[in-house]
Every structure is written in structure tokens, then in C-alpha cells.
Amino acid sequence: MIVGDPERFAVEFELDATKMPEPDFWRWQWGRIRWWCGGQSVGIFDPQAQLIYTVVRMQQLVDRPSYREGESLIREPAEAIFQTVIPALYEAGDEQSRDEIRENKARYDGIMVGPEAFEFNPWRLMLVEDGSRGRFLWSSRDHLKDAGLVPGVPLRRPR
């Protein structure tokens, strides 16, 4: 089943009918899932996925829209957003104090909207919003190097 417009943004999922009779099926929700972003498939459409992790993460994101507010970032080029958010969250090292790490997590963690599940691990997925609009950006993690992007590999965003 596909919900949404694959040319902009959609979620495609399918429950594994062969596992439905199993007692733990509804706790783990076996099946497969991926997103469609600007006509591109994002997610490993594996039939043995436990969808519950993706469902829980998506529910958290829907319940907390103000957590993604990025008014200072929304006008920035995609590359600048990645070069700001990724180092702040994942490359703290010894350059940041504990307070800076805590502040960066509070400021940027909600922008990272990729479900923390195997199916989405190869991608960095961000949603930056202000009071009236949002920008969805994604890139393969393989294409990220240090604090920047590997040259010639563009960030993707819906048209």
C-alpha cells in the first residue's frame, strides 16, 4: 500500500501475511516499508523488517512538530544545512563542551527524521520547518564525508 504521492513524498508498506498467524506478529508488525521522496525509493524494502521501530519513530515525529523548527536553517542551501546539523550532532569530539552538545541535541535532533531502523540506516533524512513551510532533504550516508559532501554527489529534495 502506498500513502501519499511518490513524486513528492509517500510511505509504501506491506504487512507479511505469512507471519500474521504468529502470536507475536502484532507486537513486531513484520513486513516491509520504504519512503518515496521526489520519485526516489528511500529505504530497504526487505520483507523481514520489524515495522514497529519505524512506526514508533514516525509517531514520535508526528506528535512533536515544533521539535523540527528550523527557522534559521530553512533559507539555507541544502549543503549548508547538512554541514551544520551533521557535525553538531555526530562529530562533537573534544571541540564541544557538554553544554554545547546538549544544546545542539535540543536544537537539531528533531530535524533528523529518519527512523532509526535497519531499513533507513543508509540515509540521512532531515525535515526543516518554520511556521508555514517545510523542506525535506536526504542524502546517502555513503556520500557524506567528514563535515561535507563528497564532490559531485548532490543532496536530494522533492521537486
Side-chain angles (χ1 to χ4, degrees), residues 23 32 40 45 68 78-79 86 95 113 119 151:
R32 53 193 190 160
Q40 279 191 326
F45 208 51
R68 295 186 291 281
E79 291 83 0
I86 298 302
E95 298 111 34
V113 295
E119 295 75 26

Side-chain angles (χ1 to χ4, degrees), residues 2 7 20 26 43 51 64 66 80 82 90 98 117 126 131 148 158-159:
I2 295 180
E7 290 302 313
M20 283 185 180
W26 293 106
L51 303 184
R64 295 183 71 185
S66 63
F82 269 78
Y90 303 113
R98 286 185 183 174
M126 295 185 190
R159 292 169 241 167

Side-chain angles (χ1 to χ4, degrees), residues 126-145:
M126 295 185 190
L127 179 60
V128 180
E129 297 176 314
D130 66 9
S132 62
R133 61 193 168 143
R135 289 178 64 201
F136 183 70
L137 307 151
W138 70 95
S139 176
S140 165
R141 288 182 192 227
D142 295 338
H143 297 161
L144 294 169
K145 183 175 181 158

Side-chain angles (χ1 to χ4, degrees), residues 81-137:
I81 295 171
F82 269 78
Q83 290 171 356
T84 298
V85 174
I86 298 302
L89 288 176
Y90 303 113
E91 300 167 7
D94 295 329
E95 298 111 34
Q96 293 182 17
S97 69
R98 286 185 183 174
D99 288 340
E100 288 172 318
I101 292 170
R102 209 174 1 259
E103 287 171 19
N104 284 336
K105 183 169 176 58
R107 183 174 183 189
Y108 298 125
D109 195 44
I111 290 171
M112 301 301 296
V113 295
E116 295 172 9
F118 170 78
E119 295 75 26
F120 292 93
N121 282 347
W123 289 273
R124 299 266 192 205
L125 305 158
M126 295 185 190
L127 179 60
V128 180
E129 297 176 314
D130 66 9
S132 62
R133 61 193 168 143
R135 289 178 64 201
F136 183 70
L137 307 151

